[in-house]
Amino acid sequence: MQVLDPAGEWLRLSEHYRQLSDDELVGMARQTSELTDVAQLALAQEIANRRLKLPPEKSAAPRSPEPQPDSAEDGESPYAEDRELVDIRTVWSLADALKLQRLLDTAGIPFYMGPEKATGVDAVTSNFANGLNVQIMQVGVPWARQALQQYFPADEPPEEKPDESDDLAIHCPRCHSMEVVFEDLNRGPENADGKPSSKFKWTCDSCGHEWEDDGLVTEQ
């Protein structure tokens, strides 16, 4: 029977397989031909989460490889799009990674963390300080959005401020070069505000142009 709601079916089966023993999972793994694509995917995910190793079958027929969560079978599976991995968050510390893991585990959403695609924080070998992407399959995104409403990271990196040094630099009004040399300050008489009307004298090292101004930043 065709599954009309693959997202809901996948979550339902994932929860069901979590209740089974290791032996029951191994037994079902030997009968994957009788399962739907969604069931095979959920079963393979639970086996991978428990790190179970299936003993080789005593059969002359070669065993079909287990489906990988980030690849479609021959590009023809109707659930290929549901299996695609998407980034949902970047974590920058072990503490935040554990917070996110608890939320996703509670929601029953398998995840892959870092370039090694670890299925648990304890399996991560990369440096959290560099920022690690957390991915889930597309089918779980609606539930992940609900879970992320309860995620409040403590170690997000500060936003980088744009470098304004170039904007504040003096430019030659003729060739627009920044190779400008300050030559002298000519102090004039005081203006109506009681401040001296000073003039700054500049020389361009690139074209030799000389000019005076009020010391304001010139535009390129």
Side-chain angles (χ1 to χ4, degrees), residues 65-85:
E66 294 180 4
Q68 297 298 318
D70 55 352
S71 64
E73 297 175 1
D74 301 328
E76 300 295 335
S77 171
Y79 306 108
E81 185 176 351
D82 291 333
R83 296 173 180 173
E84 289 182 1
L85 295 181

Side-chain angles (χ1 to χ4, degrees), residues 70-140:
D70 55 352
S71 64
E73 297 175 1
D74 301 328
E76 300 295 335
S77 171
Y79 306 108
E81 185 176 351
D82 291 333
R83 296 173 180 173
E84 289 182 1
L85 295 181
V86 295
D87 294 341
I88 60 166
R89 199 71 186 190
T90 300
V91 291
W92 299 85
S93 70
L94 175 60
D96 283 347
L98 289 170
K99 290 179 186 177
L100 187 55
Q101 175 175 271
R102 283 194 293 269
L103 290 172
L104 294 177
D105 284 348
T106 300
I109 304 173
F111 64 89
Y112 306 91
M113 187 173 294
E116 57 269 55
K117 286 184 168 47
T119 56
V121 174
D122 58 342
V124 173
T125 58
S126 302
N127 189 349
F128 284 103
N130 297 328
L132 300 184
N133 289 339
V134 180
Q135 298 178 308
I136 66 170
M137 284 183 281
Q138 180 72 41
V139 68

Side-chain angles (χ1 to χ4, degrees), residues 1 28-30 49 70 79 84 87-88 97 112 119 121 125 132 138 142 146-147 152 169 180 191 197 199-200 204:
M1 181 177 64
M28 293 191 65
R30 296 190 180 281
N49 288 344
D70 55 352
Y79 306 108
E84 289 182 1
D87 294 341
I88 60 166
Y112 306 91
T119 56
V121 174
T125 58
L132 300 184
Q138 180 72 41
Q146 297 178 18
F152 304 102
V180 174
N191 55 26
S197 54
K199 292 292 184 181
F200 292 79
C204 178

Side-chain angles (χ1 to χ4, degrees), residues 5-109:
D5 181 10
E9 182 70 3
W10 175 69
L11 287 178
R12 185 187 68 79
L13 289 170
S14 296
E15 179 62 26
H16 171 65
Y17 292 148
R18 270 195 293 271
Q19 308 300 322
L20 300 182
S21 66
D22 291 353
D23 290 340
E24 288 174 319
L25 290 177
V26 171
M28 293 191 65
R30 296 190 180 281
Q31 302 174 359
T32 54
S33 61
E34 302 177 7
L35 302 177
T36 64
D37 287 348
V38 174
Q40 291 182 32
L41 180 61
L43 178 62
Q45 180 61 55
E46 182 62 25
I47 289 175
N49 288 344
R50 298 193 193 185
R51 297 181 174 84
L52 299 179
K53 292 185 178 180
L54 302 179
E57 294 182 358
K58 297 179 180 179
S59 172
R63 178 179 175 79
S64 300
E66 294 180 4
Q68 297 298 318
D70 55 352
S71 64
E73 297 175 1
D74 301 328
E76 300 295 335
S77 171
Y79 306 108
E81 185 176 351
D82 291 333
R83 296 173 180 173
E84 289 182 1
L85 295 181
V86 295
D87 294 341
I88 60 166
R89 199 71 186 190
T90 300
V91 291
W92 299 85
S93 70
L94 175 60
D96 283 347
L98 289 170
K99 290 179 186 177
L100 187 55
Q101 175 175 271
R102 283 194 293 269
L103 290 172
L104 294 177
D105 284 348
T106 300
I109 304 173

